Amino acid sequence: MPELTGIEAAAERLLDAAKTRVPCAPVRDLLPDAAATTAYAVQSMLTRHRSDRGGRIVGRKIGLTSPAVQQQLGVDQPDFGVLFDDMAVPAGTAVDTAQLLQPRIEAEIALVLGSDLDGPHIDLASVREAVAGMVPALEIVDSRIAGWDISFPDTVADNASSGMFVLGGTQLDFAGADLREVEMTMVDGQGRTVSSGSGAACLGDPLNALLWLARTCYELGMPLRSGEIVLSGALGPMVPVSAGMSFSATLSGLGTVTAEFSGNAGGAT
């Protein structure tokens, strides 16, 4: 059998962690360089593997939208991952932590596209025009890498540390809303505030994040399509999750979204 390339070995390591539910060592040392294109090559290999087994792509998620997190990881850009249909948790359905490894939760604005974002001249005006709807969302981020010991190549390769997501029940028309003004408060099951922030915390404006995503996806040959969901980035700090917990996030002007967690997993580390 021919020896695996670094990209193939990284994909195999992450696949094994997802299958066994045992977090793995970082993959950065397997990769020939720390370039974003190399890390996305691993992610693309994992995306094809999932698609070949029946997974249906429903959108993207944007990560690393906080300047503080970018500084922590030594990067100057966001990253993105792919959302599959089986990652969506219907509102009112408990999230099974047994399907996750090291879950954490964060509140975001989900944007629903009404038209494609495809072409070399995507700008903020075309992005604004493409958004049809918005809805409050909770993203359950997860890492296949032990102890969240991640660098930029690690999280990109690992589908931007994606897990699951929950959308609020009512999608609102976008109609040129100013997402910078959205205020978010997330509370736990005891009503304690565990995270807060605003739309301005997401690259200054969640539409800036969507613009970056649209341009990047076009350059990578996988443009955004009408009907896709985009989780535009965290509005506040992420919070560790374990079975038995619940969270509710209220986003001003958008509504409230809630997630409950069941299962036997030990929770985040």
Side-chain angles (χ1 to χ4, degrees):
M1 177 179 294
E3 184 176 351
L4 295 178
T5 67
I7 290 171
E8 291 168 336
E12 287 292 330
R13 181 177 292 180
L14 291 167
L15 280 172
D16 186 64
K19 180 180 179 179
T20 63
R21 298 288 189 266
V22 177
C24 63
V27 299
R28 53 187 177 265
D29 294 337
L30 297 173
L31 302 178
D33 57 56
T37 51
T38 303
Y40 280 117
V42 179
Q43 184 187 124
S44 294
M45 188 170 290
L46 296 175
T47 297
R48 288 194 299 273
H49 181 273
R50 195 161 181 168
S51 296
D52 289 346
R53 283 152 183 79
R56 181 173 61 86
I57 296 173
V58 296
R60 310 289 198 282
K61 63 148 286 184
I62 310 172
L64 302 180
T65 54
S66 162
V69 176
Q70 289 185 10
Q71 184 175 11
Q72 183 181 27
L73 292 180
V75 300
D76 60 0
Q77 63 176 312
D79 71 348
F80 77 88
V82 178
L83 300 179
F84 286 89
D85 56 340
D86 61 356
M87 294 167 63
V89 180
T93 302
V95 179
D96 184 4
T97 57
Q99 298 183 41
L100 301 162
L101 282 76
Q102 306 171 101
R104 300 177 180 183
I105 192 169
E106 55 192 28
E108 311 190 11
I109 300 170
L111 302 173
V112 181
L113 299 182
S115 59
D116 295 350
L117 281 169
D118 187 1
H121 304 298
I122 301 169
D123 58 14
L124 199 57
S126 56
V127 162
R128 184 179 293 276
E129 186 176 349
V131 178
M134 55 186 182
V135 64
L138 291 170
E139 183 187 358
I140 299 97
V141 293
D142 198 13
S143 179
R144 270 52 62 178
I145 295 170
W148 280 86
D149 177 15
I150 58 173
S151 65
F152 184 71
D154 292 305
T155 187
V156 170
D158 190 24
N159 199 26
S161 303
S162 297
M164 299 178 177
F165 64 95
V166 183
L167 301 180
T170 302
Q171 177 180 317
L172 302 177
D173 289 338
F174 175 66
D178 187 349
L179 302 181
R180 298 171 298 180
E181 301 297 324
V182 173
E183 296 290 335
M184 180 278 296
T185 302
M186 182 164 65
V187 300
D188 64 12
Q190 285 70 52
R192 299 172 296 198
T193 298
V194 294
S195 182
S196 62
S198 70
C202 180
L203 288 185
D205 185 336
L207 290 184
N208 291 335
L210 178 56
L211 175 60
W212 172 87
L213 176 69
R215 289 174 170 173
T216 302
C217 286
Y218 170 75
E219 292 169 359
L220 292 173
M222 47 188 304
L224 301 176
R225 297 302 187 192
S226 177
E228 289 191 333
I229 300 162
V230 175
L231 300 181
S232 59
L235 304 186
M238 60 183 178
V239 180
V241 168
S242 60
M245 301 179 76
S246 64
F247 298 90
S248 181
T250 299
L251 282 66
S252 62
L254 276 76
T256 299
V257 57
T258 299
E260 298 183 356
F261 294 85
S262 63
N264 300 314
T269 59

